[in-house]
Amino acid sequence: GYNYSYIKDKKLQLVTLDVKDENVKKKVEWYFSNGQFIYSEQVWTDITTGKIIDNEEFYAADGHLIAWVKSNNKEADNTSQEFKDCEKQLIAYTDKLKAGCK
């Protein structure tokens, strides 16, 4: 697979990850504005059938996850432990992405 980073005016704008893992194509994009993570989308596609098997969206503001739309187009409960765990992992990973592009 590959990892593509777009930087403008020394600030990270976009990171795209595109990987083939066995029979699944995994594409994830992270968007940034003014150096802050604002949005991510992951789309996992079955290579054999072309069917999307996972599609999730993550919205962030001020360093916090504010919404998570799961594959079933249902928004995750932002008071649930699952949401809080996702936020912790996602924010930590986007911080790692930003640090890797300096």
Side-chain angles (χ1 to χ4, degrees):
Y2 72 90
N3 179 340
Y4 168 81
S5 299
Y6 174 70
I7 298 169
K8 182 179 178 183
D9 299 327
K10 299 183 181 181
K11 290 186 179 179
L12 184 61
Q13 303 292 312
L14 169 67
V15 175
T16 300
L17 177 67
D18 201 342
V19 176
K20 289 182 183 173
D21 183 15
E22 294 187 21
N23 200 36
V24 178
K25 178 182 177 188
K26 298 178 178 180
K27 184 171 184 176
V28 185
E29 298 175 331
W30 295 270
Y31 293 85
F32 298 82
S33 178
N34 294 322
Q36 295 295 312
F37 167 63
I38 57 168
Y39 174 77
S40 179
E41 181 174 15
Q42 80 177 29
V43 178
W44 293 5
T45 307
D46 182 303
I47 294 171
T48 305
T49 65
K51 182 180 177 185
I52 293 174
I53 55 177
D54 185 39
N55 184 6
E56 299 183 32
E57 298 176 15
F58 306 88
Y59 299 85
D62 299 322
H64 295 283
L65 186 62
I66 58 173
W68 171 17
V69 181
K70 295 182 169 189
S71 287
N72 56 8
N73 276 337
K74 283 191 149 184
E75 196 168 321
D77 176 3
N78 64 359
T79 63
S80 71
Q81 189 60 48
E82 179 186 33
F83 187 94
K84 293 173 186 175
D85 291 345
C86 178
E87 174 184 38
K88 182 186 275 187
Q89 292 172 1
L90 186 61
I91 298 303
Y93 191 74
T94 59
D95 287 346
K96 183 178 173 181
L97 289 173
K98 289 190 297 186
C101 289
K102 289 185 177 182

